Amino acid sequence: MRMRQAAFTLIEVLVALAVFGVMSVLAYATLGTTLTNADLLADRMDRLQSVQRAVRYLTTDLLQAAPRPVRQELGQTLSPALQTNLSSQFALELTRGGWRNPAGLPRGTLQRSAYRIEDDELVRYHWRVLDRTFANEPVATVLLDGVDGLLFRYLQDNGEWTEVWPPQNVQGAIATIARPRAVEVVLTLRDQGEIRRVLEVAP
């Protein structure tokens, strides 16, 4: 007696193909969502790193602010060691210490740096010399994009805050070396709103 061999019917094959198709669609949809989420997460991480980098530059410069005024380009007057005013082309300009020199170049450890917003980008400038001339071009570094605002507030010795430095009640040679007790940095980003940091300036 011959044994009957087991086989799939046409209906069973069609059902199996349908189930396989549905499972494949679900798998591809899940994979696509996972890849999209991974890209979004990578973009957010890159953005967070850029924000942290910008804040780190601001923090380092302000914490190491040095009482060293610099000669202006024409060499006739001095710019204060730290300044923020309406007539300046920068939101902040200051002399900072701690400029590392691993290559042993013939220069000091003080650096003049400045910040301003250009085309929604936060740009940091620094000069290779303190008492510069028109021939000394600054080095520009774009720290962050999508920036709507940058504001500095300074804590005076009398406990009052001001958005202008040197403050108007300080004049003469003292104004060129004056430093605040603390600085509040308000960085406004298009996608994250305001970021505030209060930094104590080294005495």
Side-chain angles (χ1 to χ4, degrees):
M1 183 175 183
R2 300 178 62 183
M3 298 292 296
R4 184 177 180 183
Q5 295 182 349
F8 293 107
T9 65
L10 179 59
I11 294 179
E12 291 173 333
V13 172
L14 293 176
V15 170
L17 289 174
V19 172
F20 178 77
V22 171
M23 297 298 295
S24 298
V25 170
L26 293 176
Y28 277 113
T30 302
L31 178 61
T33 302
T34 301
L35 293 176
T36 300
N37 291 338
D39 291 339
L40 291 175
L41 181 59
D43 291 341
R44 290 179 181 176
M45 289 299 297
D46 290 342
R47 179 63 171 172
L48 178 60
Q49 290 177 353
S50 297
V51 172
Q52 290 176 336
R53 177 171 175 254
V55 172
R56 184 170 63 250
Y57 267 105
L58 286 163
T59 300
T60 302
D61 283 354
L62 287 168
L63 289 180
Q64 300 188 59
R68 166 60 157 87
V70 298
R71 189 180 65 242
Q72 294 184 1
E73 284 83 351
L74 296 178
Q76 298 176 348
T77 57
L78 293 177
S79 292
L82 190 155
Q83 75 171 8
T84 293
N85 56 60
L86 296 178
S87 62
S88 175
Q89 58 179 322
F90 299 105
L92 170 68
E93 186 176 349
L94 77 160
T95 303
R96 55 153 293 187
W99 188 16
R100 297 179 58 194
N101 190 10
L105 300 175
R107 62 167 175 80
T109 58
L110 296 178
Q111 181 188 76
R112 191 70 172 181
S113 60
Y115 294 86
R116 70 181 176 196
I117 298 175
E118 299 177 3
D119 298 325
D120 300 330
E121 294 179 332
L122 176 61
V123 183
R124 179 184 186 268
Y125 291 86
H126 78 269
W127 288 263
R128 295 185 175 90
V129 296
L130 292 178
D131 299 314
R132 60 186 183 263
T133 65
F134 284 111
N136 301 123
E137 293 293 334
V139 178
T141 304
V142 177
L143 300 179
L144 195 62
D145 59 7
V147 180
D148 287 337
L150 178 64
L151 174 67
F152 297 94
R153 296 176 66 239
Y154 305 95
L155 180 62
Q156 305 177 70
D157 290 335
N158 60 10
E160 295 182 357
W161 290 89
T162 177
E163 295 181 2
V164 176
W165 196 268
Q168 296 178 353
N169 59 356
V170 179
Q171 302 294 328
I174 297 298
T176 63
I177 62 173
R179 289 179 298 170
R181 293 170 55 187
V183 181
E184 181 185 34
V185 182
V186 183
L187 184 62
T188 305
L189 305 180
R190 189 172 304 131
D191 56 346
Q192 299 186 29
E194 287 188 355
I195 297 177
R196 293 177 177 266
R197 294 290 186 273
V198 178
L199 309 170
E200 182 180 4
V201 177

